[in-house]
Amino acid sequence: MNFDDGKIGDVSRSVIIPMTEAEYAQKLRARGINIVCHQERYWKEIVLGFYEPVHLMARLTSEQATRPALLSWGFRTALDEKDRATANAIMPINLLSELENYDPENLPRKRRADLRKSMKQVRIVELIDGSILQQQGYEVLCSSLQRTKHDKIPTKANYLATIAAESADRHCLTIGGMIGNKLGGYITGWAVDGTAYMVKGYYATEALPTSIVTGLYYGFIQVCKRSGKIHQIANSQHLKELPNLCFYKESMKFLVHFIPTKLSMNPVMKQLIRWRYPNKYYRLSGQYRS
């Protein structure tokens, strides 16, 4: 398998093309997600009746941070720095900032060793046309989710439909780790304005001893760094209940940032989420139940 077959690309030449907020909203609407435009900003309904901006890291003004839909029991949005005094919550999220200064020499010794190991055992490439994911990706996803339990395993038909859509999208970047001719893991992401999002990553259990995760993280970061248009990368909201995962992310310089937010929730729903789903409530508000 080589760079000339159109299936894989040299990751050192890969690019990530940022979308505007409006372009991203259009893509989500085409996938069947309910999108509303309110105060010239785009919001998505993440669960029935609750809204967030499509661009999670967008900083809205206090005038824009109001209920986006009439039939809504809640919303959450990051606030513009000048309006941080109006914040009533925080959003804990793992962010890599100061992208221009990201260098292996700034990583902890263990991560530098992992990166060297990965470079020797794993070939980090761009997965261009989706064919490798169609052939091998579902097996990697199943292995990853069976180990982590982070999400439900989709049907293979739904998985293949997602791969087809993402492969046709010029804004979507997927990099994979090849061990010989076998796919060991991959990361998919995209960018909106100046923020890149590491949307999903799956790593086969048998590939973990190669330090493939570190290799893929580093490869994705380097693509964003070279773009010159990305100033930060959002990994995920803070999964405080998974301390080992949190430690790993922070060792790769995805530090926990606490973003001032405006949170509005129906009191009954607020109490329900706070008591039944304390970790979700923490990610919504920055607070645990008391």
Side-chain angles (χ1 to χ4, degrees), residues 75-89:
F75 68 88
R76 188 266 298 267
T77 179
L79 288 172
D80 190 284
E81 191 64 28
K82 69 181 178 62
D83 290 320
R84 66 179 300 134
T86 66
N88 63 351

Side-chain angles (χ1 to χ4, degrees), residues 137 140-145 147-148 150-151 173-175 184-189 197-204 208 213 216-217 220 235-236 245 249:
V140 171
L141 176 142
C142 290
S143 175
S144 185
L145 291 182
R147 181 182 71 254
T148 65
H150 285 170
D151 205 350
L173 172 70
T174 299
I175 62 171
Y186 65 93
I187 287 175
T188 297
Y197 293 92
M198 294 178 72
V199 179
K200 51 192 173 183
Y202 302 112
Y203 320 101
L208 295 181
V213 181
L216 286 169
Y217 262 62
F220 187 88
N235 181 280
S236 72
L245 180 59
K249 291 181 179 185

